[in-house]
Amino acid sequence: MIPRTNQETPPRVRLSPPIRLRLKSAPFFGAMLSLREHLPAFPPDAPNLPLTLLTFHPGYLAGSYEDRDYFERLSPLLFQWARGRCRLRIFTINHPGYDLPRGAVIDPFRLGPYSIRHQPLAIEAALSWLLRQRLAREREVAWIAYGHSMGGLALSQFQAAPLNDLMARQNRRLHFARILSAPALFVHPETRAFVGQLDVLHTLKLTVGRFPLYAPIATGLYQAFAPLFYRRDAARFSIDAWAEFGDFSRLDPFVLLKQGRELLRFKAIAAGGADLLAGTHVILPRGDGMIDLPALTALIHEAQQQGHTVTAHEVDSTHLLELDDAATAANVVRHVIRTSWERHPI
């Protein structure tokens, strides 16, 4: 495992209480989506400075909770850099089914709303709400979306056109850029080997899942043993065995089972191939044991040969760059923010 390169651990960011949106239309049918704002440790800058909106889109298992966030080491560095340059607002947008209220129950046989196929639509719903509510007075917004792993996969399929139209109808402008950090477009062959085990669990659910005691027993076993298996396999997949960005007691095992099976079977070529990377910045951690980096690199080259603008940022890190080396991740974000300003002065 590549050691962390940052000498000092940045302080944890303060998080807002959850902003929970209930998505009532298809395909979500009432599924809940949670946002949490990252709060700077100092008063906001003058209102005449341009606004940059940065949204974080976490990966599988990751997200934000009451006192922790997968991106918590990155935000303080960016807030400090932005002082006097721009007004920076940062939100983590959790996937539906994550960061649920305590006691919330998800029907293990109605998991369609939590499919990774619908995550781009969930991003659109969250941003539409932000632009209509929290940012309603902003006439011009530079939006940088940063997706890690599964979050990067969702962003690669996201289309900003509906949000551009929303802003245009209100005589406002949105400038969009995206960063895909180790996006889960191609999963490492060793990781894909786990799909058989997940299929067995899925079959078990279909077989005995409707017995009254199945759900509480399965959930209890998951909460007890999932951390142990996670730590056991951490070195193989180049992830931090003791990372605190996830909370196994707050994650629904049936949502994770569905998403895990989908991730391991995802076919990037069938989903759009090189077009998925059009206009993106892609972070490639050289020590990543979770993602099939040769396949991802080949897709970047193919996209560039087809005329797409794709910028690759190779870094010395594991799959968890944002924890390994927050300073390097912050450098990429700063570069993209500056580039957005240069292309669209605001």
Side-chain angles (χ1 to χ4, degrees), residues 84-330:
R85 292 184 172 92
C86 70
R87 289 177 295 128
L88 178 62
R89 296 192 68 175
I90 303 177
F91 293 82
T92 290
I93 299 179
N94 292 290
H95 302 293
Y98 287 54
D99 191 25
L100 293 171
R102 291 195 181 275
V105 176
I106 292 176
D107 186 339
F109 290 93
R110 297 180 181 273
L111 298 176
Y114 309 103
S115 169
I116 64 173
R117 295 180 292 109
H118 302 322
Q119 288 173 357
L121 289 176
I123 294 173
E124 180 183 332
L127 263 295
S128 178
W129 183 87
L130 279 174
L131 294 171
R132 290 176 182 271
Q133 301 294 328
R134 293 296 173 91
L135 306 178
R137 296 183 179 182
E138 302 292 341
R139 309 313 303 169
E140 197 156 5
V141 178
W143 172 32
I144 313 298
Y146 185 113
H148 171 253
S149 196
M150 184 175 73
L153 171 60
L155 275 180
S156 72
Q157 300 177 86
F158 173 78
Q159 300 295 323
L163 296 177
N164 287 328
D165 293 343
L166 167 67
M167 295 286 277
R169 289 195 298 270
Q170 301 172 357
N171 294 318
R172 303 161 69 196
R173 289 199 295 175
L174 179 70
H175 308 296
F176 174 57
R178 67 185 125 200
I179 303 170
L180 312 181
S181 175
L185 298 174
F186 299 95
V187 179
H188 195 280
E190 283 193 34
T191 310
R192 286 201 304 272
F194 279 85
V195 72
Q197 299 178 32
L198 297 185
D199 286 344
V200 170
L201 294 175
H202 177 66
T203 301
L204 181 65
K205 185 192 78 169
L206 296 179
T207 304
V208 300
R210 294 196 182 277
F211 287 113
L213 293 179
Y214 168 76
I217 291 175
T219 300
L221 290 173
Y222 155 77
Q223 292 177 353
F225 292 104
L228 301 178
F229 288 112
Y230 178 84
R231 290 165 186 160
R232 182 197 68 182
D233 296 321
R236 182 191 309 183
F237 300 127
S238 75
I239 54 180
D240 185 349
W242 302 102
E244 296 181 351
F245 63 82
D247 186 341
F248 287 96
S249 69
R250 300 292 304 280
L251 294 167
D252 186 277
F254 302 108
V255 170
L256 296 181
L257 175 60
K258 178 176 181 58
Q259 292 178 344
R261 295 176 71 236
E262 290 181 325
L263 283 171
L264 296 180
R265 287 191 165 90
F266 181 77
K267 303 295 183 183
I269 303 305
D275 291 341
L276 296 173
L277 301 181
T280 66
H281 292 259
V282 184
I283 299 177
L284 298 170
R286 297 186 183 95
D288 195 328
M290 188 72 73
I291 302 302
D292 188 341
L293 288 176
L296 182 56
T297 301
L299 190 66
I300 291 173
H301 292 160
E302 180 182 347
Q304 292 170 336
Q305 290 173 354
Q306 292 182 11
H308 295 307
T309 300
V310 186
T311 305
H313 303 264
E314 294 190 16
V315 299
D316 289 320
S317 175
T318 70
H319 185 60
L320 307 181
L321 169 68
E322 297 73 21
L323 298 179
D324 290 339
D325 189 353
T328 293

Side-chain angles (χ1 to χ4, degrees), residues 11-51:
R12 283 184 172 182
V13 71
R14 293 187 302 123
L15 297 172
S16 75
I19 305 163
R20 292 196 169 103
L21 309 179
R22 192 168 292 281
L23 309 179
K24 297 182 179 180
S25 60
F28 300 105
F29 301 110
M32 192 175 295
L33 180 148
S34 164
L35 300 84
R36 289 184 186 261
E37 184 168 9
H38 297 223
L39 305 173
F42 40 79
D45 273 317
N48 60 322
L49 290 175
L51 174 71

